[in-house]
């Protein structure tokens, strides 16, 4: 599914005149198959934007299409009703993982919690079908089904809870997965694992498109094939991570902090060492080592 | 959004009524409620109405904000009126038709006026007084009870914490509702039972988060050695001004007016 947003504008308090716009003409295209990164300072409108993608926030102005789906809210009452009904179908296709998703767990067992979405989206599915999907999703996120299925989700560790929450979204087999700061608050190891999990899901075609929101330049640089930079509700840049990297003198980017590799390239250049830029830390290190031995 | 359901509905502005001491305003409200219940005839309500109008003008609160409170209890008013019209019985009624009499209509109108003025008056207090000031006022007014070991300070603390967390929990509820909607939860259709059931996935996480916050807050207070028995000074000192004097005088005059009217104009009750 291709996602096209044009001049999306949104303000949380339409009536109050003091309200700043959370989105102020965000224009952006996400193609099917992308591993898309959204970065921006805090308050730049990232979360507000992604909540539009499955109709959790109704469009105020601008246009947004997600696949076949046009998210403009119809004016006529009857059409509006039909539109609101059809949102459910959209939501089954665009899975949304909120920030700190572990806080939305509620059921008595992990199995039931993961089944929640499946039962909502496929009310006619048989018990076997539901169980199958649930098991698959729990295993997809790298948890041992036999070990966790009958446990209370509240007895799990933070990282495990987050996996269960992600499984709860994956279980209804969305085509597009949207994650709002999925690694926030995780330790480096869990962080790495979660990112590689997302890559596996993407590479094996379990989900076709992944959109992740992040504060961290490095995350985005290393993982995404396209990136959008949000600032004050606008998309100020939409490009490949590499070209983001080349423009690190840009004001908006400099405020987000340089990725480690960009910082090193820049600093080394300052003392007369020219290393070819590269945005994966591993590649960069290799190049640096090569350079070192060259000079010897 | 849930957050729009503001609690306390404080209306931010500078006005005579806003600047009055919350304790005086609270006492005035109590007096006002008494006033409404001693009114025996429609002339009395003229006084009450005049009082309300004067207070509203000096509070600079928009009329819409005041009237919205009545909208909220419209159903209750309607219900009261209907009950009274059909079931009120006076000794010698002037029947208009069926059980509807002049007396029952008058009485129903009277009750409706009572309800409306009651809501408008309390609305004016919450519109012009921040919840924090209100809690402080309650603490201050109840402080004589400390003599009989009534935990006044604790009560006020509990109230202010509860008020403080309402917006936080509202925001949290909004977030959880969104998250469950994203998982296909449907809150707006189905039978009443189905809708109530649909709230479970929202209420449980909300409750858990409330407990978590309470624990965190408790820990934070403990780690700062908070103790309710400590003697402490107030960050904000409330002092009575000429405004409070004028306000009190107007209240007393209104009460006197109503009582006089009760005596001289007789009652319909
Ligand atoms: N529920 C809300 N009610 C009112 N204003 C809101 C709400 N949520 C966000 N905002 C405002 O909208 C703007 C954009 O917020 P948003 O959450 O989209 O930013 P963000 O880029 O996701 O930030 P962060 O990186 O901190 O998550 C901010 O100015 C914020 O204050
Ligand atoms: Mg956000």
């Amino acid at each position: 599914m291709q996602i096209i947003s044009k001049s999306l504008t949104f303000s949380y308090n339409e009536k109050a005149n003091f309200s700043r716009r959370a989105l102020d003409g965000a224009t952006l295209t996400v193609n099917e198959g992308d591993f898309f990164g959204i970065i921006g300072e805090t308050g730049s409108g990232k979360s507000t934007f992604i909540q539009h993608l499955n109709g959790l926030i109704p469009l105020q102005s601008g246009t947004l299409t997600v696949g076949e789906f046009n998210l403009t809210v119809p004016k006529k009452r009857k059409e509006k009703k039909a539109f609101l009904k059809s949102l459910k179908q959209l939501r089954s296709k665009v899975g949304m993982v909120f920030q700190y998703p572990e806080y939305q767990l509620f059921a008595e067992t992990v199995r039931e919690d993961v089944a929640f979405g499946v039962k909502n989206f496929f009310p006619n599915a048989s018990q076997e079908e539901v169980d199958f999907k649930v098991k698959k999703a729990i295993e997809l996120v790298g948890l041992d089904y036999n070990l966790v299925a009958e446990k209370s989700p509240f007895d799990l560790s933070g990282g495990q809870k987050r996996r269960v929450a992600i499984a709860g979204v994956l279980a209804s087999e969305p085509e597009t997965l949207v994650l709002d700061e999925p690694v926030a608050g995780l330790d480096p190891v869990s962080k790495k694992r979660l990112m590689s999990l997302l890559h596996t899901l993407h590479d094996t075609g379990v989900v076709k498109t992944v959109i992740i929101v992040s504060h961290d330049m490095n995350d985005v640089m290393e993982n995404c094939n396209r990136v959008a930079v949000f600032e004050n509700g606008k998309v100020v840049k939409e490009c490949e991570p590499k070209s983001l990297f080349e423009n690190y003198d840009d004001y908006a980017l400099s405020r987000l902090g340089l990725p480690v590799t960009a910082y090193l390239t820049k600093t080394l250049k300052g003392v007369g060492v020219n290393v070819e830029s590269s945005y994966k830390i591993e590649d960069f290190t290799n190049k640096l080592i090569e350079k070192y031995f060259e000079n010897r | 959004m849930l957050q729009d359901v503001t609690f306390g509905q404080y209306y931010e502005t500078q006005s005579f009524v806003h600047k009055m001491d919350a304790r005086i305003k609270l006492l005035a409200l109590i007096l006002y409620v008494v006033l409404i219940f001693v009114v025996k005839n429609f002339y009395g309500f003229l006084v009450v109405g005049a009082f309300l109008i004067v207070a509203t003008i000096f509070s600079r609160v928009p009329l819409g904000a005041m009237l919205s409170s009545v909208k909220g209890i419209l159903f209750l008013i309607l219900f009261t009126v209907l009950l009274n019209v059909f079931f009120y019985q006076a000794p010698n009624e002037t029947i208009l038709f069926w059980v509807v009499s002049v007396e029952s209509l008058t009485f129903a109108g009277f009750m409706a006026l009572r309800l409306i003025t009651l809501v408008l008056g309390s609305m004016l207090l919450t519109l012009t007084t921040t919840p924090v000031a209100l809690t402080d006022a309650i603490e201050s007014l109840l402080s004589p009870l400390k003599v009989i070991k009534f935990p006044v300070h604790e009560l006020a603390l509990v109230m202010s914490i509860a008020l403080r967390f309402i917006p936080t929990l509202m925001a949290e509820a909004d977030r959880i509702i969104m998250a469950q909607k994203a998982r296909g939860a449907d809150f707006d259709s189905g039978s009443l039972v189905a809708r109530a059931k649909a709230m479970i996935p929202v209420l449980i996480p909300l409750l858990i988060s409330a407990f978590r916050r309470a624990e965190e807050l408790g820990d934070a207070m403990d780690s700062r050695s908070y103790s309710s028995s400590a003697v402490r000074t107030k960050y904000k000192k409330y002092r009575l001004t000429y405004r409070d004097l004028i306000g009190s005088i107007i209240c007393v005059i209104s009460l006197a007016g109503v009582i006089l009217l009760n005596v001289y104009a007789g009652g319909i009750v």
Side-chain angles (χ1 to χ4, degrees):
Chain A
M1 285 195 297
Q2 197 186 30
I3 298 170
I4 304 170
S5 96
K6 288 214 177 89
S7 317
L8 213 57
T9 302
F10 184 86
S11 122
Y12 275 94
N13 203 336
E14 254 182 308
K15 284 174 226 145
N17 44 9
F18 54 81
S19 76
R20 222 170 46 96
R21 284 172 171 172
L23 280 182
D24 193 7
T27 301
L28 180 64
T29 305
V30 181
N31 290 310
E32 181 164 313
D34 275 350
F35 201 112
F36 199 96
I38 293 179
I39 45 173
E41 281 186 87
T42 174
S44 55
K46 308 181 296 289
S47 300
T48 309
F49 176 77
I50 60 164
Q51 282 162 23
H52 277 85
L53 299 182
N54 62 359
L56 288 172
I57 294 183
L59 235 64
Q60 277 177 359
S61 81
T63 59
L64 174 65
T65 54
V66 179
E68 306 277 276
F69 215 93
N70 181 354
L71 277 133
T72 306
V73 185
K75 286 249 159 43
K76 281 187 197 144
R77 228 173 139 183
K78 216 168 178 182
E79 290 170 29
K80 191 173 170 179
K81 234 176 165 177
F83 169 80
L84 291 178
K85 266 225 154 80
S86 65
L87 279 182
K88 202 160 173 176
Q89 204 194 346
L90 174 69
R91 285 176 190 157
S92 74
K93 294 217 172 104
V94 181
M96 177 87 57
V97 179
F98 280 78
Q99 196 170 354
Y100 297 106
E102 52 274 26
Y103 292 151
Q104 75 209 33
L105 300 174
F106 71 96
E108 275 174 54
T109 65
V110 168
R111 186 176 49 75
E112 281 171 59
D113 205 288
V114 175
F116 181 67
V118 183
K119 283 184 183 157
N120 284 330
F121 288 128
F122 309 100
N124 302 323
S126 69
Q127 189 60 46
E128 286 84 57
E129 277 175 278
V130 174
D131 286 342
F132 176 76
K133 284 187 170 145
V134 168
K135 184 157 189 248
K136 196 169 126 196
I138 291 179
E139 278 165 357
L140 267 178
V141 297
L143 291 173
D144 186 338
Y145 179 82
N146 296 323
L147 222 60
V148 298
E150 298 305 322
K151 267 197 180 173
S152 158
F154 304 111
D155 291 341
L156 301 175
S157 77
Q160 286 172 322
K161 275 186 199 162
R162 191 164 297 186
R163 278 161 188 263
V164 170
I166 294 174
V169 174
L170 285 178
S172 33
E173 296 168 353
E175 282 176 39
T176 302
L177 189 62
V178 186
L179 305 103
D180 197 348
E181 309 205 16
V183 293
L186 289 185
D187 63 281
V189 177
S190 312
K191 198 167 155 176
K192 198 133 207 157
R193 267 199 220 144
L194 186 55
M195 285 318 282
S196 74
L197 164 68
L198 293 180
H199 275 295
T200 314
L201 292 175
H202 185 246
D203 295 344
T204 53
V206 175
V207 286
K208 290 195 184 124
T209 314
V210 176
I211 301 176
I212 67 166
V213 171
S214 175
H215 266 124
D216 192 337
M217 269 292 207
N218 293 306
D219 281 349
V220 169
M221 282 290 190
E222 289 180 20
N223 296 296
C224 304
N225 71 324
R226 276 194 85 73
V227 181
V229 182
F230 272 66
E231 194 181 56
N232 293 330
K234 291 188 178 68
V235 180
V236 291
K237 207 163 217 102
E238 188 190 342
C239 56
E240 281 176 34
K242 205 163 87 191
S243 80
L244 200 63
F245 182 80
E246 281 151 8
N247 291 312
Y248 56 63
D249 285 329
D250 193 302
Y251 171 71
L253 299 184
S254 65
R255 286 222 299 200
L256 284 167
L258 292 178
V260 177
T261 48
Y263 174 76
L264 288 174
T265 313
K266 198 178 166 188
T267 316
L268 286 173
K269 208 171 190 174
V271 295
V273 183
N274 285 317
V275 186
E276 197 190 325
S277 51
S278 150
Y279 55 95
K280 284 217 161 95
I281 187 87
E282 287 87 357
D283 297 346
F284 182 84
T285 320
N286 286 339
K287 277 185 189 144
L288 202 59
I289 292 171
E290 268 170 36
K291 189 101 191 169
Y292 176 76
F293 282 110
E294 246 173 52
N295 287 355
R296 293 259 303 243
Chain B
M1 303 240 152
L2 270 181
Q3 276 160 299
D4 298 343
V5 189
T6 42
F7 185 85
Q9 293 120 330
Y10 181 66
Y11 181 83
E12 179 95 49
T13 184
Q14 298 275 336
S15 82
F16 186 92
V17 182
H18 279 77
K19 284 183 186 154
M20 274 175 68
D21 193 300
R23 287 169 295 183
I24 298 295
K25 281 190 269 186
L26 198 59
L27 287 176
L29 181 70
I30 295 171
L31 201 69
Y32 175 83
V33 173
V34 173
L35 196 81
I36 289 173
F37 281 94
V38 297
V39 166
K40 275 195 190 148
N41 50 46
F42 285 102
Y43 299 114
F45 272 119
L46 286 180
V47 176
V48 174
F51 176 82
L52 257 182
I53 289 168
V54 169
T56 310
I57 288 171
F58 281 97
S59 71
R60 300 176 59 185
V61 167
L63 208 60
M66 288 283 283
L67 294 180
S68 69
S69 63
V70 179
K71 224 164 60 190
I73 61 151
L74 211 56
F75 179 75
L76 185 69
I77 295 174
L78 220 65
F79 190 67
T80 317
V81 167
L82 285 180
L83 273 187
N84 279 305
V85 166
F86 291 117
F87 294 107
Y88 180 76
Q89 280 174 340
N92 24 24
E93 284 179 295
T94 335
I95 299 283
L96 291 177
F97 58 91
W98 195 29
V99 294
V100 181
S101 66
V102 177
E103 282 79 9
S104 64
L105 279 179
T106 317
F107 189 73
F110 204 75
M111 290 310 275
L113 269 180
R114 247 186 203 164
L115 276 176
I116 291 169
T117 47
L118 193 66
V119 172
L120 285 177
S122 17
M123 192 68 187
L124 196 59
L125 179 71
T126 51
L127 278 171
T128 60
T129 319
T130 60
V132 175
L134 213 52
T135 340
D136 279 347
I138 292 173
E139 181 174 0
S140 168
L141 289 177
L142 290 181
S143 57
L145 291 179
K146 276 183 190 156
V147 178
I148 57 160
K149 296 257 156 68
F150 185 80
V152 176
H153 177 71
E154 284 81 348
L155 186 75
L157 185 69
V158 167
M159 273 178 60
S160 50
I161 289 175
L163 287 171
R164 156 68 186 76
F165 276 98
I166 287 172
T168 313
L169 288 180
M170 290 285 194
E172 182 102 5
D174 250 347
R175 238 178 55 90
I176 298 171
I177 287 176
M178 276 216 188
Q180 308 299 25
K181 266 190 184 167
R183 289 208 274 166
D186 192 349
F187 301 105
D188 321 302
S189 65
S191 67
L192 211 58
V193 180
R195 279 190 217 192
K197 262 196 178 157
M199 287 314 284
I200 294 176
V202 175
L203 292 179
I204 292 177
L206 194 60
L207 213 63
I208 289 171
S209 123
F211 278 121
R212 196 183 62 241
R213 278 178 203 284
E215 231 162 76
E216 282 168 7
L217 184 67
D219 286 346
M221 286 165 81
D222 277 344
S223 65
R224 288 171 180 75
S225 304
Y226 183 88
S227 148
S228 58
S229 59
V231 181
R232 51 170 52 80
T233 51
K234 284 260 174 219
Y235 168 62
K236 210 169 176 178
K237 285 253 183 252
Y238 295 97
R239 253 200 248 115
L240 298 180
T241 64
Y242 72 96
R243 295 191 187 86
D244 302 302
L245 185 68
I246 296 175
S248 316
I249 292 175
I250 292 177
C251 288
V252 173
I253 290 177
S254 310
L255 185 67
V258 166
I259 292 173
L260 282 177
L261 281 169
N262 275 350
V263 174
Y264 288 107
I268 67 149
V269 193

